[in-house]
Amino acid sequence: METRAVVIEEYGHADQLKESQITLPELGEHQVLVKVKATSVNPIDWKLREGYLAQMMPWDFPITLGWDVAGEIVEVGSEVKDWHIGQEVFARPETTRFGTYADYTIVDDHLLAKKPDSISFEEAAAVPLAGLTAYQALFTHGKLKAGEKVLIHAGAGGVGIYAIQLAKNAGATVITTASKKNHELLKELGADQVIDYHTTDFSEVLEDIDLVFDTMGGDVQKDSFKVLNSDGRLISIVGAPDEELAKNVAVAESIWLQPDGKQLQEIADLMTEGKVKSIVGHTYPLTAEGVTEAHELSATHHAKGKIVLVNE
């Protein structure tokens, strides 16, 4: 089927984004077609647009970016059992060149989660990629347990906001870094201690940390090894840890998100219970102009919470 999409036809700056009509692949037997109500912006979107991931994802153009979706099922594949037309869902679909910056997108049925009635499509669209990244870093790889101390870098960012809430809900003591203007919000979300990175070097005031969730890389990652205990773990989503420093701790690894509908449903259930919420800091229309502005903001790394694209 044909759908309107915001695509790139070559790698480059945000001015490469344009609206176009594209033809989606045929719906597979275990797939659904979702009418997109909202999607969100993640750093992978503009990194891919700029060509940084071209070797990892050697796709043909045009490429539709975007790997978060909240919307309504409008068609189901022949073998789909648990989902039906009209259901409101959200997902982190597989990473293909047919992304979610479009009026319609295809999602494998095992990656779907039910959108909680209590939240908007915008709030739901903010969750999948960032929320699953936080979940997998903390629990799948970081093995975070109740009573442990976790340091989450950049707590006010898209991933950090979910990480704080998920860690607190799991019974951990949560420490995070953020600029002063975001301290109050992060404490409301469950942070026990917020360090202003403009005025304080976290590596001089912290010790005996069980898990560091590194969303920054570089010197922040290197300094994080100083605060870990000997059984400590460092999980990064931005770069491979230094091999020499990694010898001093139990675990140090860089991870790449795996889409997972069951884990997303766990987060959805926590949202229904009021234990996790989205912080949508900025919304833009799902148009070439709107996506361009959203990408430019995301690339500054100074967005508060998530940047969401709304399909009116």
Side-chain angles (χ1 to χ4, degrees):
M1 87 169 257
E2 289 239 323
T3 181
R4 180 189 72 93
V6 178
V7 305
I8 55 168
E9 290 171 349
E10 60 183 283
Y11 295 120
H13 296 300
D15 57 8
Q16 294 298 333
L17 293 156
K18 57 181 74 170
E19 284 189 45
S20 181
Q21 288 290 319
I22 62 161
T23 303
L24 292 174
E26 276 192 31
L27 201 61
E29 55 188 25
H30 280 287
Q31 293 182 319
V32 304
L33 184 67
V34 176
K35 183 176 184 9
V36 179
K37 302 280 191 167
T39 175
S40 87
V41 175
N42 297 284
I44 185 180
D45 301 6
W46 48 265
K47 287 177 181 172
L48 199 142
R49 187 204 74 224
E50 290 179 351
Y52 291 129
L53 305 178
Q55 283 182 304
M56 187 191 276
M57 298 165 188
W59 295 333
D60 295 331
F61 292 102
I63 295 169
T64 308
L65 302 170
W67 293 280
D68 275 326
V69 64
E72 184 181 318
I73 296 175
V74 291
E75 191 180 336
V76 297
S78 59
E79 294 296 314
V80 173
K81 301 279 191 290
D82 299 328
W83 305 93
H84 58 79
I85 290 170
Q87 258 184 312
E88 295 182 349
V89 293
F90 66 136
R92 193 314 190 174
E94 288 293 358
T95 314
T96 73
R97 71 181 183 94
F98 297 99
T100 58
Y101 291 4
D103 289 341
Y104 295 91
T105 197
I106 291 171
V107 185
D108 296 336
D109 59 0
H110 70 281
L111 299 180
L112 294 164
K114 290 174 184 155
K115 181 185 84 63
D117 294 337
S118 55
I119 67 170
S120 66
F121 284 110
E122 291 86 347
E123 289 166 320
V127 177
L129 192 149
L132 286 172
T133 299
Y135 183 104
Q136 292 175 15
L138 293 172
F139 306 117
T140 311
H141 299 278
K143 308 286 192 247
L144 183 66
K145 295 186 280 296
E148 290 193 315
K149 286 199 286 191
V150 59
L151 168 60
I152 296 162
H153 285 297
V159 174
I161 274 173
Y162 295 109
I164 288 169
Q165 296 177 83
L166 290 168
K168 188 65 181 176
N169 199 62
T173 297
V174 181
I175 305 158
T176 190
T177 56
S179 57
K180 189 75 182 157
K181 66 179 189 293
N182 293 320
H183 285 207
E184 196 176 328
L185 168 67
L186 300 185
K187 284 183 173 163
E188 283 171 20
L189 294 177
D192 295 287
Q193 182 180 353
V194 188
I195 295 168
D196 182 353
Y197 61 85
H198 292 293
T199 59
T200 306
D201 179 346
F202 74 91
S203 69
E204 292 178 359
V205 295
L206 297 177
E207 60 182 8
D208 196 30
I209 300 292
D210 298 292
L211 174 64
V212 171
F213 181 14
D214 168 40
T215 62
M216 302 293 288
D219 290 339
V220 169
Q221 185 191 89
K222 287 197 180 90
D223 287 343
S224 293
F225 283 96
K226 298 177 189 172
V227 305
L228 283 166
N229 58 37
S230 57
D231 295 321
R233 291 92 69 196
L234 181 140
I235 306 296
S236 178
I237 54 169
V238 284
D242 179 285
E243 287 181 16
E244 280 304 307
L245 293 172
K247 289 176 183 171
N248 302 321
V249 299
V251 175
E253 64 174 321
S254 175
I255 66 166
W256 189 259
L257 172 74
Q258 299 298 316
D260 190 308
K262 286 194 174 68
Q263 290 176 355
L264 187 57
Q265 190 61 56
E266 283 186 45
I267 299 172
D269 294 343
L270 289 170
M271 296 184 89
T272 297
E273 293 167 25
K275 292 176 177 171
V276 171
K277 65 180 178 178
S278 291
I279 303 296
V280 177
H282 316 266
T283 58
Y284 295 92
L286 184 54
T287 60
E289 186 181 14
V291 174
T292 299
E293 288 183 32
H295 275 213
E296 287 169 346
L297 174 61
S298 178
T300 68
H301 296 290
H302 289 300
K304 177 178 172 179
K306 286 288 298 188
I307 302 167
V308 171
L309 301 164
V310 182
N311 199 17
E312 298 295 358

